[in-house]
Amino acid sequence: MNYWLVKSEPDDFSLDDLKKKGREPWTGVRNYQARNFMRDGMAPGDLALFYHSNIAPPGVVGLAKVDSDAYPDPTQFDAKSHYYDPTSSPDNPRWMLRDLIYEASFKRFVSLPELRECKDTAGMRVCQKGARLSVQPVTEAEFKAVCKLAGYTA
DNA sequence: GCCAACGTTGGC
DNA sequence: GCCAACGTTGGC
């Protein structure tokens, strides 16, 4: 079992949106490192911290669970999509994704400044200045520390 | 293979 | 809305 952090802009797709839909193919990742983590690193049942970016303050709002194998991101073949990639082909798809399902909403929001302050979470990639990776691994210890800050127990 | 230019992300 | 940091592209 591995642990992850996934970023989303809440104006675009929030944890509440995931809660409403229940399941969401994690489309639109167009960064190779993030893709590799999602395609090669994730496994069904893994848990991910759900992080809201591009708001003030950003932070972790809850949990999602990985619930599929990796498969091609359909938006890469859709000419009308914002995520359309004309250089990718169905024979050899460049962008792979997995489905995420809703797991939990934290009662207490854990902001980025809090993550930076807490010694158990300060080493997370998301705490580094200029961190842009939208899918990133976190250690079990970091995952548990964030849950603790959120007052969350499974 | 280098690196400047560009577009994007994301904190503030 | 600003701008620093980052990843990618493309000329050479």
Side-chain angles (χ1 to χ4, degrees), chain A residues 46-87:
Chain A
D46 284 359
L47 289 174
L49 301 166
F50 201 101
Y51 179 91
H52 280 175
S53 65
N54 252 306
I55 48 160
V60 179
V61 290
L63 301 178
K65 184 186 279 181
V66 177
D67 195 53
S68 81
D69 290 330
Y71 63 96
D73 180 340
T75 63
Q76 70 195 305
F77 308 125
D78 178 1
K80 293 191 296 293
S81 169
H82 177 64
Y83 300 117
Y84 179 55
D85 182 353
T87 66

Coordinates of all heavy atoms in Angstrom, one line a residue, chain A residues 46-87:
Chain A
D46 N -4.7 2.2 -2.9 CA -3.9 3.2 -2.4 C -4.7 4.4 -2.0 O -5.7 4.7 -2.7 CB -2.8 3.6 -3.4 CG -1.7 2.7 -3.6 OD1 -1.7 1.6 -2.9 OD2 -0.8 2.9 -4.4
L47 N -4.3 5.1 -1.0 CA -5.0 6.3 -0.5 C -4.2 7.6 -0.9 O -3.0 7.6 -0.9 CB -5.2 6.3 1.0 CG -6.2 5.3 1.5 CD1 -6.2 5.3 3.0 CD2 -7.6 5.6 1.0
A48 N -4.9 8.6 -1.2 CA -4.3 9.9 -1.6 C -4.9 11.0 -0.8 O -6.1 11.1 -0.6 CB -4.5 10.1 -3.1
L49 N -4.0 11.9 -0.4 CA -4.4 13.2 0.2 C -4.9 14.0 -0.9 O -4.3 14.2 -2.0 CB -3.2 13.9 0.9 CG -2.5 13.1 2.0 CD1 -1.1 13.7 2.3 CD2 -3.4 13.0 3.2
F50 N -6.1 14.6 -0.7 CA -6.7 15.5 -1.8 C -6.4 16.9 -1.4 O -6.9 17.5 -0.4 CB -8.2 15.2 -1.8 CG -8.9 15.6 -3.1 CD1 -9.2 14.6 -4.0 CD2 -9.2 16.9 -3.3 CE1 -9.8 15.0 -5.2 CE2 -9.8 17.3 -4.5 CZ -10.1 16.3 -5.5
Y51 N -5.6 17.5 -2.3 CA -5.1 18.9 -2.1 C -5.7 19.9 -3.0 O -5.8 19.7 -4.2 CB -3.6 18.8 -2.3 CG -2.8 20.1 -2.1 CD1 -2.2 20.4 -0.9 CD2 -2.6 20.9 -3.2 CE1 -1.5 21.5 -0.7 CE2 -1.8 22.1 -3.0 CZ -1.2 22.4 -1.8 OH -0.5 23.5 -1.6
H52 N -6.2 21.0 -2.4 CA -6.8 22.1 -3.2 C -5.7 23.1 -3.4 O -5.1 23.7 -2.5 CB -8.0 22.7 -2.5 CG -9.2 21.9 -2.6 ND1 -10.4 22.2 -2.0 CD2 -9.5 20.8 -3.4 CE1 -11.3 21.4 -2.3 NE2 -10.8 20.5 -3.1
S53 N -5.4 23.4 -4.7 CA -4.4 24.4 -5.1 C -5.0 25.6 -5.7 O -6.2 25.6 -6.0 CB -3.4 23.8 -6.1 OG -4.0 23.5 -7.3
N54 N -4.2 26.6 -5.8 CA -4.7 27.9 -6.5 C -5.8 28.5 -5.7 O -6.7 29.2 -6.3 CB -5.1 27.6 -7.9 CG -4.1 28.2 -8.9 OD1 -3.8 29.4 -8.8 ND2 -3.6 27.4 -9.8
I55 N -5.8 28.4 -4.4 CA -6.7 29.1 -3.5 C -5.8 29.6 -2.3 O -4.7 29.1 -2.1 CB -7.8 28.3 -3.0 CG1 -7.3 26.9 -2.5 CG2 -8.9 28.0 -4.1 CD1 -8.3 26.3 -1.5
A56 N -6.3 30.5 -1.6 CA -5.6 31.0 -0.4 C -6.4 30.7 0.8 O -7.5 31.3 1.0 CB -5.3 32.5 -0.6
P57 N -5.8 30.0 1.8 CA -4.5 29.2 1.5 C -4.9 27.9 0.9 O -6.0 27.4 1.1 CB -4.0 29.0 3.0 CG -5.3 28.9 3.8 CD -6.3 29.8 3.1
P58 N -3.9 27.3 0.2 CA -4.1 25.9 -0.3 C -3.9 24.9 0.8 O -3.4 25.3 1.9 CB -2.9 25.8 -1.3 CG -1.9 26.7 -0.9 CD -2.6 27.9 -0.2
G59 N -4.3 23.7 0.6 CA -4.1 22.7 1.6 C -4.9 21.4 1.4 O -5.6 21.3 0.3
V60 N -4.8 20.5 2.3 CA -5.4 19.2 2.2 C -6.8 19.2 2.8 O -7.0 19.6 3.9 CB -4.5 18.1 2.8 CG1 -5.2 16.7 2.7 CG2 -3.1 18.1 2.3
V61 N -7.8 18.7 2.0 CA -9.2 18.8 2.4 C -9.8 17.4 2.8 O -10.8 17.3 3.4 CB -10.1 19.5 1.4 CG1 -9.7 20.9 1.4 CG2 -9.9 18.8 0.0
G62 N -9.1 16.3 2.3 CA -9.7 15.0 2.6 C -8.9 13.9 1.9 O -7.7 14.1 1.5
L63 N -9.6 12.8 1.6 CA -8.9 11.6 1.1 C -9.6 11.0 -0.1 O -10.9 11.1 -0.2 CB -8.8 10.5 2.1 CG -8.0 10.8 3.4 CD1 -8.1 9.6 4.4 CD2 -6.6 11.2 3.2
A64 N -8.9 10.5 -1.1 CA -9.5 9.8 -2.2 C -8.7 8.4 -2.2 O -7.7 8.3 -1.6 CB -9.2 10.5 -3.5
K65 N -9.4 7.5 -2.9 CA -8.8 6.1 -3.0 C -8.6 5.8 -4.5 O -9.5 6.0 -5.3 CB -9.7 5.1 -2.3 CG -9.1 3.7 -2.3 CD -10.0 2.7 -1.7 CE -10.0 2.7 -0.2 NZ -11.0 1.7 0.3
V66 N -7.5 5.2 -4.8 CA -7.3 4.7 -6.2 C -8.1 3.4 -6.4 O -8.1 2.5 -5.6 CB -5.8 4.3 -6.4 CG1 -5.5 3.7 -7.7 CG2 -4.9 5.5 -6.1
D67 N -8.9 3.4 -7.5 CA -9.8 2.3 -7.7 C -9.9 1.8 -9.1 O -10.9 1.3 -9.6 CB -11.2 2.8 -7.3 CG -12.2 1.6 -7.1 OD1 -11.8 0.7 -6.3 OD2 -13.3 1.6 -7.7
S68 N -8.7 1.8 -9.8 CA -8.7 1.2 -11.1 C -7.2 0.9 -11.5 O -6.3 1.5 -10.9 CB -9.3 2.1 -12.2 OG -8.4 3.0 -12.6
D69 N -7.1 0.1 -12.5 CA -5.8 0.0 -13.1 C -5.5 1.2 -14.0 O -6.5 2.0 -14.2 CB -5.7 -1.3 -14.0 CG -5.7 -2.6 -13.1 OD1 -5.2 -2.5 -12.0 OD2 -6.2 -3.6 -13.6
A70 N -4.3 1.3 -14.5 CA -4.0 2.5 -15.4 C -4.6 2.2 -16.8 O -4.6 1.1 -17.3 CB -2.5 2.7 -15.5
Y71 N -5.2 3.2 -17.4 CA -5.7 3.1 -18.8 C -5.6 4.5 -19.4 O -5.3 5.5 -18.8 CB -7.2 2.6 -18.8 CG -8.2 3.5 -18.1 CD1 -8.9 4.4 -18.8 CD2 -8.4 3.5 -16.7 CE1 -9.9 5.2 -18.2 CE2 -9.3 4.3 -16.1 CZ -10.1 5.2 -16.8 OH -11.0 6.0 -16.2
P72 N -5.7 4.5 -20.8 CA -5.4 5.8 -21.5 C -6.4 6.9 -21.1 O -7.6 6.7 -21.0 CB -5.5 5.4 -23.0 CG -5.3 3.9 -23.0 CD -5.8 3.4 -21.7
D73 N -5.8 8.1 -20.9 CA -6.7 9.3 -20.6 C -7.4 9.6 -21.9 O -6.8 10.0 -22.9 CB -5.7 10.4 -20.2 CG -6.5 11.7 -19.9 OD1 -7.7 11.8 -20.3 OD2 -5.9 12.6 -19.2
P74 N -8.8 9.5 -21.9 CA -9.5 9.7 -23.1 C -9.4 11.1 -23.6 O -9.6 11.4 -24.8 CB -11.0 9.3 -22.8 CG -11.0 9.4 -21.3 CD -9.6 9.1 -20.8
T75 N -9.2 12.1 -22.8 CA -9.2 13.5 -23.2 C -8.0 13.8 -24.2 O -8.1 14.7 -24.9 CB -9.1 14.5 -22.0 OG1 -7.8 14.3 -21.3 CG2 -10.2 14.2 -21.1
Q76 N -7.0 12.9 -24.2 CA -5.8 13.2 -25.1 C -6.2 13.0 -26.5 O -5.6 13.5 -27.4 CB -4.6 12.3 -24.7 CG -4.8 10.8 -25.1 CD -3.8 10.0 -24.4 OE1 -2.6 10.2 -24.5 NE2 -4.2 9.0 -23.6
F77 N -7.3 12.2 -26.8 CA -7.7 12.0 -28.2 C -8.9 12.9 -28.6 O -9.4 12.7 -29.7 CB -8.1 10.5 -28.3 CG -7.1 9.5 -27.9 CD1 -7.4 8.6 -26.9 CD2 -5.8 9.6 -28.4 CE1 -6.4 7.7 -26.5 CE2 -4.8 8.8 -27.9 CZ -5.1 7.8 -27.0
D78 N -9.4 13.7 -27.7 CA -10.5 14.5 -28.0 C -10.1 15.9 -28.4 O -9.7 16.7 -27.6 CB -11.4 14.6 -26.7 CG -12.6 15.5 -26.8 OD1 -12.8 16.0 -27.9 OD2 -13.3 15.6 -25.8
A79 N -10.3 16.2 -29.7 CA -9.9 17.5 -30.3 C -10.5 18.7 -29.6 O -10.0 19.8 -29.7 CB -10.1 17.5 -31.8
K80 N -11.7 18.4 -29.0 CA -12.4 19.6 -28.4 C -11.9 19.8 -26.9 O -12.3 20.8 -26.3 CB -13.9 19.3 -28.4 CG -14.5 19.3 -29.8 CD -16.0 19.3 -29.8 CE -16.6 18.1 -29.2 NZ -16.3 16.9 -30.0
S81 N -11.1 18.8 -26.4 CA -10.7 18.9 -25.0 C -9.6 19.9 -24.8 O -8.7 20.0 -25.7 CB -10.4 17.5 -24.5 OG -9.7 17.7 -23.2
H82 N -9.6 20.5 -23.7 CA -8.5 21.4 -23.3 C -7.2 20.5 -23.2 O -6.1 21.0 -23.3 CB -8.8 22.0 -21.9 CG -7.7 22.8 -21.4 ND1 -7.3 24.0 -22.0 CD2 -7.0 22.7 -20.2 CE1 -6.3 24.5 -21.2 NE2 -6.1 23.8 -20.2
Y83 N -7.4 19.2 -22.9 CA -6.2 18.4 -22.7 C -5.8 17.6 -23.9 O -5.0 16.6 -23.9 CB -6.5 17.4 -21.5 CG -6.8 18.1 -20.3 CD1 -8.1 18.0 -19.6 CD2 -5.8 18.9 -19.6 CE1 -8.3 18.6 -18.4 CE2 -6.1 19.5 -18.5 CZ -7.3 19.4 -17.9 OH -7.6 20.1 -16.7
Y84 N -6.4 17.9 -25.1 CA -6.1 17.2 -26.3 C -4.6 17.3 -26.6 O -4.0 18.3 -26.5 CB -6.9 17.9 -27.5 CG -6.7 17.4 -28.8 CD1 -6.9 16.0 -29.1 CD2 -6.2 18.2 -29.9 CE1 -6.7 15.5 -30.4 CE2 -6.0 17.7 -31.2 CZ -6.3 16.3 -31.4 OH -6.1 15.8 -32.7
D85 N -4.1 16.1 -27.0 CA -2.7 16.0 -27.4 C -2.6 15.4 -28.8 O -2.7 14.1 -28.9 CB -1.9 15.2 -26.4 CG -0.4 15.1 -26.7 OD1 0.0 15.6 -27.8 OD2 0.3 14.6 -25.9
P86 N -2.5 16.2 -29.8 CA -2.5 15.6 -31.2 C -1.3 14.7 -31.5 O -1.3 14.0 -32.5 CB -2.4 16.9 -32.1 CG -1.9 18.0 -31.2 CD -2.3 17.6 -29.8
T87 N -0.2 14.8 -30.6 CA 0.9 13.9 -30.9 C 0.8 12.5 -30.3 O 1.7 11.7 -30.4 CB 2.2 14.6 -30.3 OG1 2.1 14.7 -28.9 CG2 2.4 16.0 -30.9

